[in-house]
Amino acid sequence: GDSVTQMEGPVTLSEEAFLTINCTYTATGYPSLFWYVQYPGEGLQLLLKATKADDKGSNKGFEATYRKETTSFHLEKGSVQVSDSAVYFCALSSSQGGSEKLVFGKGTKLTVNP
Amino acid sequence: DSGVTQTPKHLITATGQRVTLRCSPRSGDLSVYWYQQSLDQGLQFLIQYYNGEERAKGNILERFSAQQFPDLHSELNLSSLELGDSALYFCASSVVRGQEDTQYFGPGTRLTVL
C-alpha cells in the first residue's frame, strides 16, 4: 500500500539556520503531496502542497519540490525562526480505491533555539 | 482558522463507556474524514464520508462508527472504550475535486480514557 517515510527527529537548530526535512513516498498512480504543520497544542495546518511532478509548493518561506524520479518531497527553509518550532508531517493523497484519504509520515519535531 | 469545527475539545471518560465526537466541515465541503493521532500509531485514517455516504474505511475498529448527516456535519461514535483509545481525534473536510483536492483539519478532540 501507499506509504510515507520522513526523517526521524527531533531536529534542533539555531535561529537563521537552514532546514531540510527529508520525505520519500511509495504510491501507486500519481499522488498529490502535502506538508502539514502542528504547533504545540494545536491541530494540523496545511503548510504547502504539490499535485504533479516538478511542481514546487511554497508558503511562509518553506519550499518543497515534487520529484517523481526520486519519489521525494523534501521540505526546506533557508532561515528558520523560533516560531517555526513545531511538528512537521509529510503526507500523500492518491485517490486510489475511490478515496482521497491522506497517508502520513510519522512526523518530525523541529525545535529552533534563539 | 481552517473553518472546520470540532466539539468537544477535551473529553475524559472511563473504560467501557461510549462517547460521540462531532465535526462541522467547512462551508461547501462535501467530504469529511476522521483521523486518529496517537503516540504509538501516529496519524491514522479512520473513515471518510462523502455527501452522506460512506466512501472509504481505514483502520477503524468495529467498536467505532460514524455517520454524516444531511447538513453534512459528522459524528464519530466510540463505544466500549479502552485505555488504548486515548488519542487525539481529528476531523478534516474537503470539496473532493480530483488532483486539486486539499483537506483542512479541525482543532481535534482529545479523548482520555481512564
Side-chain angles (χ1 to χ4, degrees), chain B residues 36 60-66 76-79 81 85 89:
Chain B
Q36 180 193 59
I60 188 166
L61 299 171
E62 285 194 13
R63 300 183 284 108
F64 296 1
S65 65
L76 179 67
N77 300 296
L78 315 177
S79 62
L81 285 167
D85 298 327
Y89 292 84

Side-chain angles (χ1 to χ4, degrees), chain A residues 30-32 34 36 38 41-44 46 49 51 89 93 95 97-102 104 106, chain B residues 9 31 33 35 37 40 43 45 48 55-56 88 90 96 98-107:
Chain A
Y30 302 96
S32 295
F34 305 84
Y36 282 86
Q38 186 175 28
E42 297 187 15
L44 291 164
L46 177 67
K49 69 176 186 179
T51 58
F89 293 91
S93 172
S95 296
S99 173
E100 295 75 23
K101 70 177 189 290
L102 289 170
F104 286 91
K106 291 188 182 300
Chain B
K9 195 175 171 95
S31 200
Y33 310 76
Y35 294 87
Q37 184 179 33
D40 52 345
L43 269 160
F45 167 72
Q48 177 193 2
R55 189 166 170 108
L88 197 48
F90 286 111
V96 182
Q99 286 288 330
E100 296 303 314
D101 196 51
T102 297
Q103 292 180 34
Y104 294 89
F105 283 74

Side-chain angles (χ1 to χ4, degrees), chain A residues 32-110:
Chain A
S32 295
L33 301 174
F34 305 84
W35 279 100
Y36 282 86
V37 58
Q38 186 175 28
Y39 297 101
E42 297 187 15
L44 291 164
Q45 298 179 25
L46 177 67
L47 182 58
L48 53 83
K49 69 176 186 179
T51 58
K52 59 183 187 296
D54 300 324
D55 267 2
K56 178 187 279 189
S58 61
N59 185 26
K60 299 181 183 179
F62 291 89
E63 292 183 342
T65 301
Y66 189 140
R67 301 284 187 202
K68 189 167 178 290
E69 64 276 11
T70 54
T71 61
S72 65
F73 193 54
H74 304 320
L75 182 68
E76 297 182 336
K77 186 175 186 183
S79 176
V80 293
Q81 305 300 312
V82 172
S83 58
D84 294 326
S85 298
V87 181
Y88 292 81
F89 293 91
C90 185
L92 68 80
S93 172
S94 69
S95 296
Q96 294 293 312
S99 173
E100 295 75 23
K101 70 177 189 290
L102 289 170
V103 176
F104 286 91
K106 291 188 182 300
T108 302
K109 182 175 181 179
L110 169 66

Side-chain angles (χ1 to χ4, degrees), chain A residues 7 11 13 18-23 74-77 80 108:
Chain A
M7 63 186 282
V11 174
L13 297 173
F18 183 84
L19 169 70
T20 299
I21 301 178
N22 290 336
C23 171
H74 304 320
L75 182 68
E76 297 182 336
K77 186 175 186 183
V80 293
T108 302

Side-chain angles (χ1 to χ4, degrees), chain B residues 71-88:
Chain B
D71 67 352
L72 300 178
H73 91 271
S74 177
E75 292 180 357
L76 179 67
N77 300 296
L78 315 177
S79 62
S80 302
L81 285 167
E82 302 175 358
L83 295 177
D85 298 327
S86 295
L88 197 48

